[in-house]
Amino acid sequence: PYGCPNWIGTAKQYYELYVCTAKKIRELHPEVKVGGYSSCYILGKFQNGHWEAGDASYFTDFLEYVKQENAPLDFFTYHGYLGKQYLEKIEIESRFVRDNLDRYGFTKTECIDAEWNINICDIETENRRTQYYINYRNEKGASHAAASLYEMQRCPVDSAMYYDTQLWAEYGGLYHVPSLEPTKTYYAFRQFGELYEQKNECESHGGGLVYTCAAAGERQLLCIANISEKAEEIELDISGAK
């Protein structure tokens, strides 16, 4: 009711604000990384069951202006919320951002998914957000979160921030409210932490409904996530394992 909750000026005014601010930060604190702009919707449209790039002029004009003004852009951030069975959006978004950064000469700029979670509401209720919150925490949210983490290893995502892990937040998917008991999604992150500790990704594979990621270090680990509600038969061919 109070208008746009984010940026209410023109695109050009934002570009000018970014350039002015980024240059000043670089001048005063040259050791600090500077970037932006936390795009809430970097893609254009969802149709025919797939995400497709639409009008990206706000993004590309921003890159053009920053390049023209020789301002720093150490990282570019965007939000990547995911729906049921649409984890392909991770690859489409990240490659779209990476390709445009490279096209405008920002080849060293990091590609950061600064806000992501799984927005699944598969049951019609009077309050749809209630079902979102339930699915953040159950096997649906857990399998999607695990699969998303695997998929990000395969795609050009330099870092990603899950939204979020606040103890008392309804959208904080790692703990039940009000008991604060860990959720199934919590254990998806814990599992990924074990993969991460091995330091060396062997392979990640995605697409469809089954996602996998393998890592090697002190141990050799293989993790599998099925994001569908149907059982899937998996055949593993493992050779040379300890």
Side-chain angles (χ1 to χ4, degrees):
Y2 305 108
C4 178
N6 298 314
W7 179 252
I8 61 174
T10 66
K12 179 68 178 305
Q13 286 172 328
Y14 178 76
Y15 304 159
E16 292 172 344
L17 173 66
Y18 174 84
V19 166
C20 176
T21 307
K23 284 185 174 181
K24 197 64 177 178
I25 292 175
R26 179 53 46 85
E27 175 189 338
L28 297 176
H29 304 282
E31 76 285 359
V32 173
K33 290 183 178 181
V34 186
Y37 50 82
S38 203
S39 170
C40 290
Y41 196 57
I42 196 67
L43 293 178
K45 55 191 174 182
F46 180 78
Q47 64 180 17
N48 301 324
H50 295 281
W51 290 97
E52 298 179 5
D55 181 12
S57 59
Y58 197 102
F59 174 39
T60 55
D61 288 352
F62 169 77
L63 297 179
E64 182 65 41
Y65 191 86
V66 173
K67 178 180 179 181
Q68 172 186 313
E69 297 296 323
N70 196 30
L73 185 66
D74 298 318
F75 57 84
F76 180 81
T77 58
Y78 61 95
H79 296 180
Y81 284 91
L82 305 164
K84 184 181 180 182
Q85 298 183 358
Y86 299 128
L87 297 192
E88 64 175 0
K89 186 166 178 270
I90 295 173
E91 179 170 11
I92 295 172
E93 281 183 332
S94 61
R95 295 202 182 281
F96 177 73
V97 172
R98 181 74 269 158
D99 289 347
N100 277 285
L101 288 173
D102 292 348
R103 184 159 63 94
Y104 283 88
F106 296 102
T107 56
K108 295 183 179 180
T109 298
E110 296 177 17
C111 176
I112 299 178
D113 186 345
E115 191 173 312
W116 68 275
N117 204 329
I118 314 302
N119 286 343
I120 306 172
C121 186
D122 50 6
I123 299 176
E124 288 301 324
T125 62
E126 291 184 4
N127 183 356
R128 296 183 76 242
R129 294 191 69 85
T130 299
Q131 192 61 40
Y132 280 131
Y133 298 146
I134 292 172
N135 286 344
Y136 282 169
R137 296 166 166 79
N138 61 19
E139 67 280 0
K140 297 171 185 175
S143 62
H144 278 70
S148 297
L149 289 166
Y150 308 160
E151 185 71 343
M152 288 176 187
Q153 309 314 301
R154 190 178 65 82
C155 298
V157 180
D158 291 301
S159 59
M161 292 77 207
Y162 178 79
Y163 194 83
D164 66 27
T165 61
Q166 294 184 73
L167 291 177
W168 293 99
E170 289 289 353
Y171 43 80
L174 302 196
Y175 303 94
H176 289 291
V177 178
S179 70
L180 302 186
E181 290 292 319
T183 65
K184 292 184 177 181
T185 304
Y186 168 92
Y187 288 99
F189 276 86
R190 181 171 174 174
Q191 175 207 62
F192 183 77
E194 294 184 32
L195 276 174
Y196 186 79
E197 284 179 346
Q198 306 313 308
K199 300 187 184 301
N200 303 300
E201 177 200 341
C202 299
E203 184 175 351
S204 58
H205 178 76
L209 301 176
V210 176
Y211 294 77
T212 65
C213 190
E218 292 185 6
R219 295 187 292 160
Q220 295 172 318
L221 301 178
L222 169 65
C223 294
I224 304 171
N226 172 16
I227 67 170
S228 77
E229 298 176 6
K230 297 179 181 179
E232 295 283 345
E233 185 172 316
I234 307 285
E235 181 177 316
L236 299 179
D237 182 3
I238 302 175
S239 60
K242 295 178 183 178

